[in-house]
Amino acid sequence: MATVLTFGVYDMLHIGHILLFKRAKELGDKLIVAVQDGDYIQKYKPGTSMVYSTEERVYMVSSIRFVDEVVVYKDVDVDIRKIDFDIFAKGGDQCHAGFQRATKGCEEQGKKVVTIPRTEGISSTMLRDYSKTR
């Protein structure tokens, strides 16, 4: 049984996230989604405007049929070592230093890393920009 793990904020949940979960679930038998802690986001990106609390985002993500388990994380490259999984599924835009270290750590441990392409035409940034014009 292969367990797949993916990470994200998921504050402005959209079809791209749902498709990420669907594609990630297709890679294995169980999908764990790690949702980033809102307090941690505020600590490192002060003034970031969050729509939903950590608890609300966990609830929304856990309600999606492709998701088997939801955990809360702070640092991807630190917390990835605390979770038992076989395949690390990441979005094509998840390339900052923390994700690079997490990817390298997975590869060193013989875990499979799969990059799932973005869904064209949708992003959280687009939704934020759109909501500002309304």
Side-chain angles (χ1 to χ4, degrees), residues 10 35 65 90 107 121-122 125:
Y10 311 115
V35 173
R65 70 180 174 145
K90 61 180 193 147
E107 291 167 346
I122 187 70
T125 302

Side-chain angles (χ1 to χ4, degrees), residues 116-134:
I116 297 176
R118 294 180 58 92
T119 301
E120 293 298 320
I122 187 70
S123 71
S124 298
T125 302
M126 288 174 58
L127 291 175
R128 277 192 190 86
D129 291 347
Y130 177 77
S131 69
K132 290 176 187 175
T133 64
R134 301 203 48 90

